[in-house]
Amino acid sequence: MNALQKPLAINLINMKTGEKGIVAYFNTNDEAIIKKLMAMGVIPGLPIALEQRFPTYVIKIGRTRAAVDREIAQTIYVRLTANK
Amino acid sequence: MSINKVKYPEQIEKAISEIEKLLTIDYKLTKRSVALLLLQKDEALLREIAQKEPSYEKILEVITETEKHFTEPISYIIASVRQETAFKVEREALKEEGSEKASITEILHKLTVNPITGIPIMLLILYYGVYKFVGVFGAGTLVDLIETFFEKNINPVVNQVTAQVIPWKVLQDLIANDYGIITLGIRYAVAIVLPVVTTFFLMFSILEDSGYLPRLSLLVDRAFKAIGLSGRAVIPMVLGFGCDTMATMVTRTLETNRERIIATLLLALAIPCSAQLGVILGLLSNNPGALLIWSGFMIFVFLLVGFLTAQLLPGKRAGFYMEIPPLRIPKVKNVLTKTYVRMKWYFIEILPLFILASVLIWLGKLTGLFDLIIRALEPVMLWLGLPKEAAQVFLFGFFRRDYGAAGMFDLYQRGILAGRQLVVAAITLTLFIPCIAQFSMMLKERGTKVTLAMTAFIFPFAFLMGYLVNFLLTALGVNF
C-alpha cells in the first residue's frame, strides 16, 4: 500500500457503530492478548467492522464475528476505509 | 515439499533452517513445523526442547537474534503471512455472487445481541428453558415419577433381600434401609440427579448448538465484570441452577484461577440448585412476600459477595473475548449424542460421591457423631429464631438434600416452622454449602486449602445472615 494513502489509525473504541476499516496494529505489550486476538482472526491487514458498542464490542473481521470487552478493544487500532 | 508451502520473510526462513539443523530428536512433526512453533514461543515445546535438545541454548539464541529484526512479535508476523496466503487461496478458489443480504439469521443475531431486545429474549429463554423445563419438568415431574418407582419397586426388594442374606443389622444398614448405598446413594443419583441432569444437558446442548451461549455471555459481560467474573462465567452460573456440583466442575473452562475461585464461591454460597429451588419454592409459594424477600436477599448476597471478593482477591481481571458463531437450528442427532455423552461422563464422576455420602451417614449414625453435631447445632437454631428441630434438617440436608426438604416440609406442616422462620430457614439453608457432592467437587477442583477457606467463610456467614434477617424482620415487625 502507498504510504501517502494511509489515513491515521484510530482506536477501535473511538469508532462509530457501522464503521469499517482495516486492522492496523495492536497497542499492547501483552502477548497473551495478541495471541487471543489473532486466534480469533483479528490480524493486521484484515478488514474489520464495528457492529455494536454496548454492552460489549461486537466486531466483524472477514467472515468472523467476535465480542471483546473494552480493555481488549482498546488495544486494536484501525485504519478507517470509506463507508459503503 | 508441497506447492502450498507458505513463504515467510527471509530472516524467518533463515532462522527456520538454522533451527532445523540444530534439532536432533523426532517430534512427530516436520522439523519446519517445530522450528516455526519455537519461533512463536510455544511454551510446551520450549519446555520439551529445554530437556531434550543438546543445543537448546543455541536454538534460543537463534530465536532472540531473529526477534531483533522485527518490531512486532514473530508470532504476529507468521500469522499475517499465513493470513495473506489464505486470502490468496480464497481469491483463487471462491466466486461470490451478490452481496450479503439481511437474512433471517442476521436479523435474529441483531435481536439477540442488542440489549433492548436481547435481555427480554434472555429472560424468556432462562424462564422456559431452565426454570420451566429443567426446574419444573425435570426436577419436579420426572423426579417424582422415578422416586415413586424406586420407593415402591426397588427399595422394598433390596431391603428384603439384604435382610435375608446379611445377618448383621449394621451391615444391612450400609446397603439398604434409610441410608444405604443402594437405597439412598444409588437411588439419589438415579432418581434425583439423573432426570435433572438429563433435562439440563438436553437444554444446554440445544442452546450450545444453536450458537446462543456466546450471545448470552456478551450480554452479561459488563454486569459480571462488577463481581470479578467475565461473560464466560455465565455458563457455569446458569448450570448452577440445575446442579451446583456440575457447575463447579464446569468452572474449569474459566480462564484465570481468580475467576474460577470467585465462581466456585458464588456457586457454593448463593446459587440454589434445582433441588433446593424446588423445596424453597414449595415452602414459600403461599407467601409471595416471603418469596420476594428470599429472592431479593439472595441476589443481594450474590452481588455483594462477588463484588467484595473481586476487590479482595489479587490477580489480573479476566478479559472477555469470544467468537460469535452464526445462529443455527441444532441438529437433533448431535444434541442427543452430546446429551448422552455428557450424562455418561457426569454420572461416572458423581456416582462415587453419592455412595460416599451413604457411607458417611452410616458412619455418623453408627458412631453417634451425628447426635453430637445435632446437639451442637441446636443452640445455633434457637439463636436464629428457629425451632431446635431444624438442626437435624441442616445436618442431614447436607448429606441428603431430599431429607432436608422433607424435614422442612414436615416441620412446616406440624406448625413448628412458620411465618418469619420460613424465610430465615430458607435463606440460611440456601447460603449453606449445598451438599456433600458439591463439597467433594470443590475439593477436587480447587484443592483443600481454598475449599477449607471457603467453608470457613460460608458456615458462619450463612448463620450470621440468617440471624441478621431474623433480627431485621422482627425489629420491623414483618410477619407472614
Side-chain angles (χ1 to χ4, degrees), chain B residues 17-69:
Chain B
S17 49
E18 272 171 38
I19 295 174
E20 275 176 342
K21 275 179 219 139
L22 293 169
L23 293 172
T24 55
I25 52 170
D26 182 28
Y27 292 91
K28 295 195 179 90
L29 288 168
T30 62
K31 287 193 170 170
R32 185 178 169 85
S33 313
V34 176
L36 275 166
L37 281 169
L38 290 174
L39 281 167
Q40 293 172 84
K41 296 202 169 159
D42 184 272
E43 278 171 34
L45 211 52
L46 277 173
R47 245 178 282 134
E48 207 180 326
I49 66 155
Q51 285 170 2
K52 293 181 183 167
E53 289 291 352
S55 6
Y56 168 65
E57 304 280 333
K58 199 88 200 299
I59 294 172
L60 281 191
E61 233 170 78
V62 176
I63 298 172
T64 359
E65 204 47 48
T66 316
E67 277 176 332
K68 286 186 191 149
H69 290 281

Side-chain angles (χ1 to χ4, degrees), chain B residues 231-256:
Chain B
R232 219 168 265 272
V234 78
I235 293 166
M237 290 301 150
V238 170
L239 271 170
F241 286 103
C243 172
D244 280 313
T245 310
M246 175 167 70
T248 306
M249 189 156 69
V250 171
T251 57
R252 275 179 206 172
T253 58
L254 300 175
E255 219 186 314
T256 60

Side-chain angles (χ1 to χ4, degrees), chain B residues 65-229:
Chain B
E65 204 47 48
T66 316
E67 277 176 332
K68 286 186 191 149
H69 290 281
F70 302 96
T71 44
E72 287 112 348
I74 297 177
S75 54
Y76 176 113
I77 291 154
I78 290 176
S80 312
V81 174
R82 284 179 179 161
Q83 191 63 47
E84 258 165 54
T85 316
F87 265 155
K88 218 179 101 210
V89 175
E90 192 199 19
R91 271 197 302 276
E92 284 163 12
L94 190 74
K95 218 160 78 189
E96 254 180 306
E97 281 175 26
S99 59
E100 277 180 68
K101 269 189 222 139
S103 57
I104 297 174
T105 48
E106 270 304 293
I107 297 169
L108 269 176
H109 161 76
K110 292 261 151 64
L111 289 175
T112 50
V113 295
N114 187 323
I116 298 166
T117 44
I119 289 169
I121 292 176
M122 168 176 96
L123 295 177
L124 277 179
I125 289 178
L126 291 181
Y127 180 76
Y128 284 104
V130 179
Y131 175 72
K132 281 284 193 187
F133 184 65
V134 181
V136 178
F137 175 69
T141 319
L142 285 183
V143 168
D144 284 347
L145 221 71
I146 305 177
E147 271 259 274
T148 319
F149 177 78
F150 251 88
E151 267 155 20
K152 284 215 173 108
N153 301 304
I154 296 184
N155 283 4
V157 177
V158 173
N159 290 347
Q160 221 175 349
V161 170
T162 321
Q164 278 168 2
V165 176
I166 303 173
W168 305 284
K169 177 83 172 69
V170 176
L171 277 184
Q172 284 171 14
D173 283 346
L174 180 62
I175 292 164
N177 300 331
D178 283 353
Y179 308 102
I181 290 174
I182 298 179
T183 44
L184 168 69
I186 301 203
R187 188 201 67 195
Y188 194 30
V190 174
I192 298 178
V193 178
L194 195 64
V196 176
V197 169
T198 309
T199 44
F200 199 93
F201 277 146
L202 194 63
M203 182 48 61
F204 197 72
S205 305
I206 292 173
L207 286 179
E208 194 182 27
D209 280 15
S210 66
Y212 181 69
L213 290 177
R215 291 169 172 82
L216 183 61
S217 302
L218 170 170
L219 282 176
V220 301
D221 179 57
R222 224 169 248 241
F224 268 37
K225 286 275 166 67
I227 51 169
L229 297 171

